[in-house]
Amino acid sequence: MNEAEDHVAAIICAAGGRLVSRIRMQKIAYLLDQLGTESGFDYQYHHYGPYSRDLDNAILDATAFGLVEEKHEHRQSDGARYSVFVCKDMGKKSGFGRLGEEKASELVRLFSETNVTVLELAATAHWLAAVEKVPDWQQEIVRRKGPKTENGRLAKAEVLLGRLQLAPANT
Amino acid sequence: MSKRLRDPVHGLIVFSDSDPIDMLAWQLIDAPEFQRLRRIRQLGVSEFTFPGAVHTRFAHSIGVYHNARRLVEVVDREMLRNKTRGSPERAEVAKVAALLHDLGHGPFSHTFESVQVSRGVKRRHEKWTADIIRNPDGTIRPLLNDYRAGFCDEVAGLLESDDPTDIYHSVVSSSFDADRLDYLQRDRMMAGTGAGAIDLDWLIDNIRVAEIDIGAPDEGEDPVKKIATFCLAKKALPAAEQFLLARYTLHQQVYFHRATRCVEHMIGKLLRAVATHAATGEMAAELTGLVADHALLRFFAPDGETVANYLALDDALVFGSLDLLVRAQDPEISDMAKRLGCRQLYKTLDLADFGEDLGTQRRSLRRISGMFEAELADGVATVMLDDKASISIYSEIGGDEDRMHKKLHVLDAGRPVEISKVSPLIRALEDKKQFTRFYFEQAADRERAKL
């Protein structure tokens, strides 16, 4: 079995060797796990939706063992910082569990080009419907995420879940 | 008649009889759900390390209400400055939400949450807070709805939302929210640490209201929505730096103190063992030493996670049950109860003791985890791993990135920018620092791990 840090490196490799934002990394790992990558990470609900401390530790290991470099850049408008992960060994494979290398790579590329708030909403909608089993997940996500659900972003998240055939889109 | 309380942080706190929301707050303080907070310590088991840190969530919550009133005055002041109109109704929601924000904490707060997480329960204390406020059998809901129809849902809704909708949300959740402005002062005072003073009056005088993008920062500019929140005038930058340093220092020296974290893990182990027996049901009383209808057994029993059963739990109940737990047939429970009763702690090994190099620390973690794989297993736990504490200038306990509205913004040429853009001091503390420790039942095991 691969180590957790190999999974992190493989996700970044699959994204083309560069992946922007820790929040995006968390949501990609979560959605991939729902589709069968079997990382073994445990997730809890945090401010940006499902979050895994195990994944955070795996990122730490990936940087400590030299598989990945984490750089920081700042949003032009307000200086807010975000992470940029760069894979230092492009040959890194995870196996990606029963999802398989090819399908996982295709999805990682898709997620890496998806707006980070849409990813946050997609992961949160899945969490509410499948994990917390909230009966009216739409009301709940609007209650928790407020303005983030506006301007068609929640609809885009639903389309994404539909394409992935994940709850709540598949129920 | 007006009511008065004396508080070590804020001095005299007056509940004016001419202010209906003050009178409602006074009634809410008398509610059993709020009185329960007298029996939950703000810093959990920090008093094992800092003997004076015995202040409660009750005193803290009243302090938060006091701060919320001050912050609403700031909102009014800034509305006048910006020539905009406020909402007295939303101001009332914010004040009451501030008072009630901690109702959903369980015994030892985050320790109890981690026990629940290890049992596969995906329910945060914020959800308990909302459920306690909305509880149709409770005393909070009728008090709120008698004040104004629908007020209960407005208060619970504000506390449930992750992201802000208006400036009044900032009173309860922002870089300068009423909660943070109380606990940073109160925890520092009660722990007795001299580190990290806060220039509160100067900070409050320099609060301004400006709109920030609440979306997570990403490459490119694709704003989610701009929402009004608290920012600081640039002349308060030095005070703002000190404020963030105070928070950082408290995490480093108090909240993440190795002995405190060790006690938290020991209590977690004790409660998990009790929960396991309660869930099984058979012989639970004998195995745990508790009486058959003890509140802990009721809560951890199948289908026992009700609001009524949750409200029966607090720190005092657990510590008051140690004499019963000592008699448990389960030796793990009995041993842990004895240890906690006389502060006989597990032995701590901090990976920082191997040096600051991250690679060395992570390799040591792997080596020790391999050495003690059997001892670390659930249900054994004679060695416990603590790898869930990390700090940066912004990250919270639990480690997730902080939200934009919780980050401190300073007005630079009239435009709100995240403080690290204008402060090299804060920029230097943006990276996460991880605290990883092992706790050993046997001192000899710790010595083996050091080799």
Side-chain angles (χ1 to χ4, degrees):
Chain A
M1 189 184 136
N2 284 304
E3 299 286 358
E5 64 270 20
D6 293 332
H7 189 57
V8 170
I11 289 175
I12 298 165
C13 287
R18 182 177 181 275
L19 186 72
V20 176
S21 159
R22 270 181 174 262
I23 294 160
R24 179 177 279 106
M25 169 67 93
Q26 286 279 348
K27 304 318 153 201
I28 290 176
Y30 176 78
L31 291 170
L32 288 178
D33 271 349
Q34 309 318 307
L35 294 162
T37 49
E38 298 156 355
S39 70
F41 297 150
D42 183 47
Y43 295 88
Q44 300 298 319
Y45 187 85
H46 275 254
H47 318 303
Y48 288 103
Y51 160 84
S52 172
R53 181 76 209 186
D54 299 331
L55 171 57
D56 227 15
N57 282 336
I59 294 171
L60 195 63
D61 282 341
T63 50
F65 298 151
L67 301 176
V68 163
E69 187 181 0
E70 183 179 13
K71 300 174 179 176
H72 297 104
E73 294 182 8
H74 295 83
R75 186 159 64 186
Q76 189 65 33
S77 58
D78 59 4
R81 191 177 86 150
Y82 56 87
S83 294
V84 178
F85 297 104
V86 178
C87 193
K88 295 169 85 173
D89 175 6
M90 280 302 286
K92 197 50 91 176
K93 305 284 182 199
S94 167
F96 290 111
R98 60 187 158 79
L99 187 59
E101 194 81 32
E102 192 179 335
K103 183 68 180 167
S105 297
E106 178 197 323
L107 291 173
V108 170
R109 283 193 297 276
L110 169 69
F111 297 152
S112 65
E113 290 163 3
T114 303
N115 176 282
V116 72
T117 304
V118 172
L119 273 185
E120 175 188 342
L121 292 172
T124 302
H126 180 271
W127 176 273
L128 293 176
V131 180
E132 289 193 25
K133 300 191 189 310
V134 177
D136 190 343
W137 68 270
Q138 281 175 311
Q139 185 189 45
E140 185 65 18
I141 200 168
V142 170
R143 178 157 37 199
R144 292 193 195 183
K145 298 289 174 192
K148 285 182 177 171
T149 61
E150 297 170 2
N151 288 341
R153 281 181 290 268
L154 183 56
K156 284 181 186 168
E158 287 185 72
V159 168
L160 180 63
L161 289 169
R163 182 169 168 183
L164 302 174
Q165 295 183 295
L166 282 176
N170 66 350
T171 53
Chain B
M1 198 170 78
S2 294
K3 305 291 184 185
R4 290 168 172 78
L5 290 174
R6 288 185 188 271
D7 180 81
V9 177
H10 305 292
L12 190 68
I13 300 179
V14 178
F15 295 76
S16 168
D17 59 2
S18 63
D19 184 342
I21 210 73
D22 269 3
M23 289 296 96
L24 173 64
W26 190 258
Q27 285 180 288
L28 289 165
I29 288 169
D30 273 344
E33 294 93 330
F34 196 90
Q35 290 290 316
R36 168 179 169 270
L37 298 180
R38 287 182 189 281
R39 301 185 292 278
I40 297 181
R41 287 181 178 155
Q42 172 72 8
L43 291 186
V45 295
S46 281
E47 56 99 12
F48 275 70
T49 317
F50 299 91
V54 292
H55 53 302
T56 64
R57 292 202 175 266
F58 180 85
H60 162 66
S61 296
I62 292 170
V64 174
Y65 177 73
H66 173 76
N67 283 339
R69 293 190 305 195
R70 287 188 76 181
L71 289 174
V72 164
E73 287 172 11
V74 168
V75 173
D76 292 342
R77 182 190 78 199
E78 293 305 304
M79 292 273 184
L80 208 59
R81 189 198 301 271
N82 297 335
K83 298 183 174 56
T84 49
R85 288 171 64 88
S87 164
E89 291 79 17
R90 284 288 290 168
E92 290 180 340
V93 172
K95 287 180 197 174
V96 172
L99 179 71
L100 302 181
H101 78 288
D102 265 356
L103 283 185
H105 274 285
F108 314 109
S109 301
H110 302 292
T111 302
F112 191 80
E113 272 191 307
S114 72
V115 170
Q116 289 292 80
V117 165
S118 68
R119 299 174 67 233
V121 178
K122 312 280 188 187
R123 189 184 172 92
R124 305 176 299 161
H125 78 262
E126 290 89 347
K127 178 68 179 151
W128 281 113
T129 299
D131 285 353
I132 290 166
I133 291 171
R134 289 199 177 99
N135 182 15
D137 301 321
T139 51
I140 303 284
R141 182 191 179 106
L143 282 171
L144 296 179
N145 283 343
D146 284 351
Y147 183 80
R148 187 168 78 223
F151 197 38
C152 173
D153 271 338
E154 291 177 55
V155 171
L158 189 150
L159 291 168
E160 282 175 315
S161 58
D162 291 331
D163 294 300
T165 50
D166 62 14
I167 185 61
Y168 294 101
H169 191 278
S170 304
V171 172
V172 178
S173 180
S174 65
S175 58
F176 280 106
D177 61 44
D179 180 30
R180 193 176 277 187
L181 291 176
D182 184 83
Y183 78 72
L184 289 180
Q185 293 189 94
R186 191 175 302 275
D187 294 351
R188 176 176 180 270
M189 173 188 279
M190 301 306 285
T193 172
I198 295 169
D199 197 354
L200 186 68
D201 290 338
W202 183 243
L203 286 169
I204 287 186
D205 195 58
N206 280 286
I207 290 177
R208 302 288 181 266
V209 171
E211 291 188 338
I212 62 160
D213 180 12
I214 61 164
D218 199 2
E219 209 165 38
E221 299 287 334
D222 187 8
V224 169
K225 185 160 187 174
K226 296 214 166 190
I227 301 284
T229 192
F230 295 138
C231 303
L232 278 179
K234 189 130 177 228
K235 62 187 171 186
L237 180 61
E241 289 170 333
Q242 290 300 320
F243 176 79
L244 289 178
L245 280 173
R247 181 170 179 268
Y248 191 90
T249 308
L250 272 171
H251 276 84
Q252 198 174 36
Q253 296 184 2
V254 178
Y255 307 145
F256 291 165
H257 191 284
R258 59 172 73 190
T260 303
R261 295 283 297 187
C262 178
V263 179
E264 287 172 355
H265 277 70
M266 291 171 69
I267 288 178
K269 180 179 175 182
L270 174 72
L271 291 175
R272 266 190 294 278
V274 169
T276 300
H277 293 309
T280 310
E282 291 171 24
M283 304 275 293
E286 291 82 355
L287 287 165
T288 62
L290 300 170
V291 292
D293 67 341
H294 192 279
L296 281 170
L297 296 182
R298 285 204 310 270
F299 180 80
F300 287 129
D303 301 321
E305 292 186 9
T306 63
V307 170
N309 285 344
Y310 189 74
L311 287 170
L313 306 179
D314 53 52
D315 298 8
L317 173 95
V318 176
F319 276 136
S321 302
L322 287 181
D323 61 329
L324 295 173
L325 292 161
V326 164
R327 298 185 303 198
Q329 286 178 10
D330 180 338
E332 252 187 54
I333 294 176
S334 172
D335 175 64
M336 199 56 78
K338 279 180 208 155
R339 282 174 174 272
L340 288 167
C342 58
R343 200 187 181 278
Q344 192 186 340
L345 306 188
Y346 277 30
K347 301 298 178 191
T348 300
L349 176 61
D350 192 325
L351 292 189
D353 296 345
F354 291 105
E356 285 299 312
D357 178 67
L358 190 58
T360 306
Q361 286 189 20
R362 301 308 287 180
R363 278 190 290 277
S364 300
L365 168 65
R366 207 150 280 194
R367 175 179 62 79
I368 297 167
S369 298
M371 275 177 79
F372 294 98
E373 193 174 351
E375 291 86 347
L376 283 160
D378 290 343
V380 182
T382 52
V383 178
M384 294 186 278
L385 170 63
D386 176 5
D387 62 352
K388 294 184 171 50
S390 64
I391 52 168
S392 75
I393 207 70
Y394 284 131
S395 69
E396 294 191 339
I397 296 174
D400 203 356
E401 298 284 300
D402 226 336
R403 291 156 290 177
M404 284 310 298
H405 71 280
K406 297 286 276 188
K407 297 188 176 187
L408 205 152
H409 289 74
V410 174
L411 293 178
D412 184 32
R415 192 169 60 98
V417 296
E418 204 275 310
I419 187 171
S420 62
K421 190 170 183 182
V422 289
S423 168
L425 180 68
I426 298 303
R427 199 156 51 239
L429 295 172
E430 278 190 315
D431 288 341
K432 271 188 190 177
K433 180 176 167 57
Q434 174 89 4
F435 295 80
T436 308
R437 283 103 176 217
F438 286 95
Y439 308 117
F440 296 88
E441 184 183 281
Q442 303 296 329
D445 283 342
R446 178 176 66 171
E447 296 313 305
R448 276 206 299 139
K450 282 181 181 174
L451 298 175

